[in-house]
Amino acid sequence: SIIFNDILYVGTNQGLVAIELHKLSNPSPDGKNYQLVAGTEGQVWNLTEIDGTLLCGHNFGCFQVEGLSARRISSERGFWGFFQPKSHPNIAIAGTYSGLHKLERVGGRWVSRGQIEGFSESSRVPFEDEMGNIWFAHGYRGIFRLELDKHLEKVISVNLYDSSQGLSGELPYFIHKFNGKLIATTYSGVYEYSQTTDSFTPSEFCNTLFKDMPLIENLKKDSNGNIWYCTDTYMGVQRLLEDWSYRDISTPFNRIKDYLINSFQDIYIHS
């Protein structure tokens, strides 16, 4: 989900639906306030805002969303997510079912520049680190780190991280940017990446914060320092207190926990 231009967009398995924010104060009990964005029927995987535009990752391709309409950018199957490389502000890189896909912004419109060569694994929700490397987790393989050429047309380096680099022996892993660091969450706890050793070691801070919790699959920090998270069974928030300690709060979310889908939870923090 995302709020964009005073419209709340929600991705579902039946398409992208939208509602103007002013209508949320008096919602229809049958959901008729929500409108299906035409052309987006099917499974929506991701919504990302880049430079005042809204991109939608979908089972049947990717779209640029404008109000209650969507323009298809690519028909390639399965767009998991998008990010904007710091070195190329007019480019967006998408992770797909079969690798990475390059988009270019021409004026206010995104156009497809095709598949990036050299890698064909499913690349779910990739992101960029401070060095320009691309990271994402693969449910059956481990954590990938990729390096692209300077034109962002080809993968020139592939590193796969698993138990050989310090991680738990049990898959899956989830990789996150958190507190300026790269951390991996696993069934055996939380690990922190060291660029010096090119490996992962247990994170003292995170393992204390999330002690005895189930697998953390998603987490985000808001502007007040609170840490919102989803485990494989429930969601909650580590609320930052006045003494800089945290209080774990999950009870208010109990009524929705049966609706959470493992590995596909979404946390959106509106700023």
Side-chain angles (χ1 to χ4, degrees), residues 197-224:
T197 62
D198 192 28
S199 63
F200 287 84
T201 56
S203 169
E204 181 178 356
F205 172 78
C206 289
N207 284 313
T208 300
L209 188 66
F210 297 113
K211 184 178 180 181
D212 298 326
M213 285 192 182
L215 172 63
I216 303 292
E217 297 187 348
N218 199 343
L219 77 164
K220 290 185 180 178
K221 190 173 184 179
D222 67 25
S223 59
N224 295 316

Side-chain angles (χ1 to χ4, degrees), residues 2 6 25 45 76 128 150 158 189 193 198 222 230 268:
I2 193 170
D6 295 321
S25 60
W45 292 126
E76 180 184 336
E128 185 181 47
K150 65 179 181 179
V158 178
Y193 176 71
D198 192 28
D222 67 25
C230 289
Y268 172 66

Side-chain angles (χ1 to χ4, degrees), residues 49-269:
E49 180 181 354
I50 297 180
D51 284 347
T53 64
L54 180 59
L55 297 176
C56 172
H58 196 285
N59 182 48
F60 296 126
C62 70
F63 301 83
Q64 182 171 341
V65 181
E66 298 172 342
L68 297 176
S69 64
R71 179 180 60 84
R72 189 186 298 272
I73 303 168
S74 171
S75 297
E76 180 184 336
R77 289 293 296 267
F79 275 70
W80 289 121
F82 311 87
F83 72 91
Q84 184 179 33
K86 293 184 291 293
S87 61
H88 293 72
N90 64 322
I91 298 297
I93 301 295
T96 74
Y97 292 173
S98 55
L100 301 175
H101 194 103
K102 181 179 177 181
L103 306 178
E104 183 178 8
R105 187 175 180 182
V106 181
R109 294 167 63 88
W110 290 97
V111 297
S112 170
R113 296 305 186 207
Q115 191 83 354
I116 293 174
E117 298 178 7
F119 189 79
S120 59
E121 296 276 2
S122 178
S123 306
R124 188 166 167 230
V125 196
F127 63 84
E128 185 181 47
D129 67 15
E130 296 305 314
M131 305 297 292
N133 300 305
I134 299 171
W135 293 81
F136 56 88
H138 188 292
Y140 306 110
R141 299 289 308 279
I143 293 173
F144 280 103
R145 186 190 72 187
L146 308 182
E147 181 184 354
L148 303 185
D149 71 336
K150 65 179 181 179
H151 301 296
L152 308 183
E153 294 176 348
K154 186 176 182 178
V155 175
I156 59 175
S157 174
V158 178
N159 290 83
L160 178 63
Y161 298 84
D162 53 24
S163 58
S164 300
Q165 289 77 33
L167 292 167
S168 162
E170 184 178 4
L171 293 167
Y173 312 138
F174 294 85
I175 185 78
H176 319 267
K177 290 172 76 172
F178 179 72
N179 278 352
K181 300 178 180 179
L182 289 173
I183 65 166
T185 52
T186 77
Y187 281 113
S188 300
V190 184
Y191 297 79
E192 185 176 307
Y193 176 71
S194 167
Q195 184 178 338
T196 303
T197 62
D198 192 28
S199 63
F200 287 84
T201 56
S203 169
E204 181 178 356
F205 172 78
C206 289
N207 284 313
T208 300
L209 188 66
F210 297 113
K211 184 178 180 181
D212 298 326
M213 285 192 182
L215 172 63
I216 303 292
E217 297 187 348
N218 199 343
L219 77 164
K220 290 185 180 178
K221 190 173 184 179
D222 67 25
S223 59
N224 295 316
N226 304 306
I227 302 168
W228 301 78
Y229 66 86
C230 289
T231 74
D232 57 353
T233 55
Y234 64 90
M235 72 171 295
V237 57
Q238 293 280 359
R239 184 177 178 185
L240 181 63
L241 304 180
E242 288 75 8
D243 63 357
W244 300 101
S245 65
Y246 287 91
R247 178 188 174 196
D248 184 41
I249 300 172
S250 61
T251 302
F253 308 105
N254 282 345
R255 61 181 180 177
I256 67 169
K257 67 180 182 180
D258 291 337
Y259 298 97
L260 298 176
I261 301 174
N262 284 357
S263 302
F264 295 100
Q265 309 96 329
D266 176 64
I267 299 173
Y268 172 66
I269 299 172

Side-chain angles (χ1 to χ4, degrees), residues 21-40:
L21 288 182
H22 69 86
K23 294 182 179 179
L24 283 176
S25 60
N26 187 26
S28 170
D30 57 10
K32 289 184 177 179
N33 293 85
Y34 287 85
Q35 295 179 254
L36 178 68
V37 177
T40 66

